[in-house]
Amino acid sequence: MAIVAPKARKHLSADALFHLVRSGFATIPDPRRDNGDIALADALMSAFAMFSLKAPSLLAFDKERAEGNLHTIYGIERVPCDTHMREILDPISPTWLRPVFTSVFRQLQRGKALEAMVFLEGHYLLALDGTGYFSSTTIHCASCLHKVHRNGSVTYSHQMLGAAIIHPDVREVIPLMPEAIVQHDGTDKNDCERNAAKRFVAKLRKDHPHLKFIVTEDSLSSNAPHIETLQAHDLRYLLGVKEGDHAFLFNQVQAAERAGHVTYYERHDRAAGVSHRFRFVNDMPLNASNVDVRVNFIEYWEMGQDKVQHFSWVTDLRVSKRNVFHLMRGGRARWKIENETFNTLKNQGYNFEHNYGHGTHNLSVVFATVMMLAFLVDQTQQLCCVVFQAVWAKLGSKRLLWERMRALFYAYALTSMCQLFEALLYGFKKSSPLVAIDSS
């Protein structure tokens, strides 16, 4: 009896999204005066294919380019060599890639794939965090951050502010266009995560003016200027706080407790042997310098048999016994921006911290941004494609999945990524060798 492949969502399949990405790249203006012998869209799509296939390096991708499949699956007419790809992409402004992220996100909305990601009252939980992905004492470019040490040596680095829609009950994350933390033209002062966050939220609201977001970040973001920036862009927040950094706030909570204004709430999970204890109070001043910035405070203890974990947050969402447990789970889900995003990119085949090419202008940032775009498409497959999910379950690990995917891609002529996934799931029938028979 023939095995029937599971049905996939057509508009959210890898092949449909590859076509969408290719179409987006085709609209980016080519800064070269003569437009070159290889189209900019081909160079960008080649970089995307390199990260999609999890090639360990640009040189490895160049050596095993498999141009037939790169054409049929990724729509690439001509693949540049490693040196030429770097030359073409170095002058590209990373901001030109933003519409491609937006178009993939719109496709997720169209396919109703984001419905499972709604966290609270129509809001999406959006985690923000900064990360570094390059550091060197010798290699640098015009956009590198630089740190001068006491001995006069300089360390050059690249960082970005990452953003992803997360949900406590959903393994997948939906990354958005990251904001590069770079040295800007005409300035001697390094860029920083706080400035990157200002730029990010302004662009977020321009791209998605009507979506409801609850921004969750670590305790470094619990300051009045950042909260005011979030409020100015109609973004709700759920931010970590620490007693050592927010002594005034914790003292005000203690005063409110003495006045009988603090609410305690406790619930027990007997199956897990865990107790959840909460202390919360609404309408507290954030700090002595900004008493007009009012926040709602949550403190939480998870008490098991062997250990106690402690967390605290501030939010502009009014806290009650009805929603405090849910808000806690949202605050604790912030780790997904680190584990499910950055750690996945660094440790599960994407080689986020590998220097694919640095360039002199924008190459390092362009590569990091295209890698995040490939990760977005992969996360869409993980969330929406039943064939991908079945292959992953069969092979047991992402690393093995990527290895088997590359092996088939470089060994066989394929018509689509769907065919590749189905071959991984059901097996690929190898053609029998042609043997000449002497009939004399």
Side-chain angles (χ1 to χ4, degrees):
M1 187 175 181
I3 299 176
V4 179
K7 290 185 178 180
R9 303 189 204 185
K10 181 179 179 182
H11 298 293
L12 293 172
S13 68
D15 296 301
L17 293 177
F18 290 171
H19 178 75
L20 191 66
V21 169
R22 166 76 195 199
S23 299
F25 287 160
T27 66
I28 295 176
D30 194 332
R32 296 173 294 173
R33 291 183 179 180
D34 59 357
N35 291 334
D37 56 335
I38 294 179
L40 174 60
D42 276 347
L44 284 166
M45 201 65 194
S46 296
F48 177 86
M50 175 174 67
F51 296 125
S52 175
L53 294 166
K54 317 300 175 290
S57 68
L58 185 47
L59 182 61
F61 178 74
D62 188 31
K63 286 182 176 179
E64 299 181 291
R65 54 178 58 194
E67 295 203 17
N69 287 336
L70 288 172
H71 173 67
T72 56
I73 295 178
Y74 291 95
I76 302 169
E77 297 296 334
R78 293 189 62 189
V79 183
C81 68
D82 55 344
T83 301
H84 198 21
M85 185 191 295
R86 294 188 183 105
E87 291 172 348
I88 296 172
L89 299 185
D90 190 29
I92 299 302
S93 171
T95 60
W96 296 346
L97 300 171
R98 177 171 295 277
V100 189
F101 278 86
T102 306
S103 65
V104 174
F105 190 87
R106 296 275 187 263
Q107 204 75 333
L108 281 161
Q109 288 180 300
R110 177 187 176 187
K112 302 187 182 303
L114 295 178
E115 290 182 352
M117 305 295 289
V118 174
F119 172 66
L120 180 67
E121 297 176 355
H123 289 78
Y124 296 106
L125 192 60
L126 180 63
L128 305 182
D129 198 16
T131 189
Y133 60 92
F134 171 81
S135 180
S136 173
T137 57
T138 56
I139 300 172
H140 60 94
C141 66
S143 60
C144 271
L145 303 174
H146 56 272
K147 181 179 181 180
V148 181
H149 303 280
R150 290 182 178 180
N151 62 3
S153 64
V154 181
T155 298
Y156 302 96
S157 64
H158 275 289
Q159 301 172 22
M160 68 163 55
L161 179 71
I165 294 175
I166 61 173
H167 193 286
D169 299 322
V170 180
R171 185 172 187 175
E172 292 73 30
V173 300
I174 304 298
L176 304 183
M177 170 82 175
E179 182 64 30
I181 304 173
V182 296
Q183 192 73 19
H184 293 284
D185 292 338
T187 61
D188 295 326
K189 189 176 181 181
N190 275 333
D191 194 11
C192 65
E193 189 172 324
R194 180 178 293 185
N195 289 335
K198 289 180 183 178
R199 297 192 301 270
F200 174 84
V201 297
K203 294 172 184 176
L204 175 72
R205 267 295 164 241
K206 186 176 180 180
D207 290 342
H208 309 289
H210 305 299
L211 283 186
K212 296 179 179 180
F213 291 106
I214 300 170
V215 174
T216 181
E217 301 174 78
D218 61 21
S219 62
L220 294 176
S221 302
S222 298
N223 58 79
H226 183 61
I227 287 175
E228 289 169 347
T229 297
L230 295 175
Q231 291 174 330
H233 291 87
D234 193 26
L235 297 168
R236 314 305 294 268
Y237 60 84
L238 180 59
L239 310 175
V241 287
K242 293 181 179 179
E243 187 170 4
D245 299 330
H246 301 84
F248 177 85
L249 173 63
F250 277 78
N251 288 337
Q252 291 297 306
V253 172
Q254 289 297 106
E257 183 174 34
R258 289 192 295 270
H261 298 154
V262 170
T263 301
Y264 279 91
Y265 173 65
E266 190 166 338
R267 59 189 287 179
H268 304 277
D269 185 343
R270 291 183 175 82
V274 171
S275 294
H276 306 279
R277 180 174 294 174
F278 296 90
R279 178 174 76 149
F280 63 88
V281 59
N282 293 302
D283 196 30
M284 289 285 102
L286 179 66
N287 55 47
S289 302
N290 299 274
V291 293
D292 56 326
V293 178
R294 313 296 289 190
V295 297
N296 305 322
F297 174 85
I298 303 171
E299 194 166 15
Y300 164 69
W301 295 265
E302 180 185 273
M303 296 176 291
Q305 292 182 347
D306 301 322
K307 69 175 182 177
V308 175
Q309 297 188 76
H310 174 250
F311 305 89
S312 47
W313 301 273
V314 292
T315 179
D316 61 339
L317 297 158
R318 188 162 187 82
V319 186
S320 66
K321 290 182 179 180
R322 176 177 292 182
N323 66 9
V324 67
F325 186 84
H326 198 57
L327 289 172
M328 172 275 292
R329 296 194 69 229
R332 293 191 66 177
R334 192 197 67 81
W335 63 268
K336 287 176 176 283
I337 187 69
E338 297 177 1
N339 284 10
E340 299 298 324
T341 306
F342 299 143
N343 287 350
T344 296
L345 291 172
K346 292 174 182 178
N347 303 313
Q348 292 190 24
Y350 293 87
N351 306 299
F352 186 41
E353 294 177 306
H354 175 74
N355 182 21
Y356 281 86
H358 200 80
T360 58
H361 297 287
N362 302 316
L363 183 64
S364 182
V365 181
V366 169
F367 273 147
T369 306
V370 174
M371 180 187 291
M372 191 66 78
L373 181 61
F375 178 61
L376 169 59
V377 172
D378 288 341
Q379 286 292 290
T380 302
Q381 297 312 292
Q382 187 174 315
L383 182 65
C384 304
C385 179
V386 289
V387 182
F388 181 95
Q389 294 163 2
V391 172
W392 183 21
K394 175 185 176 182
L395 298 178
S397 76
K398 286 277 188 68
R399 281 194 171 274
L400 183 56
L401 192 161
W402 305 142
E403 289 173 11
R404 296 286 176 85
M405 186 173 76
R406 281 197 304 274
L408 276 183
F409 187 89
Y410 293 134
Y412 296 96
L414 300 162
T415 59
S416 66
M417 188 59 73
C418 181
Q419 184 189 23
L420 189 153
F421 288 153
E422 289 178 356
L424 288 173
L425 183 58
Y426 304 120
F428 198 89
K429 185 177 180 181
K430 300 180 181 180
S431 57
S432 301
L434 296 177
V435 180
I437 300 175
D438 187 351
S439 59
S440 60

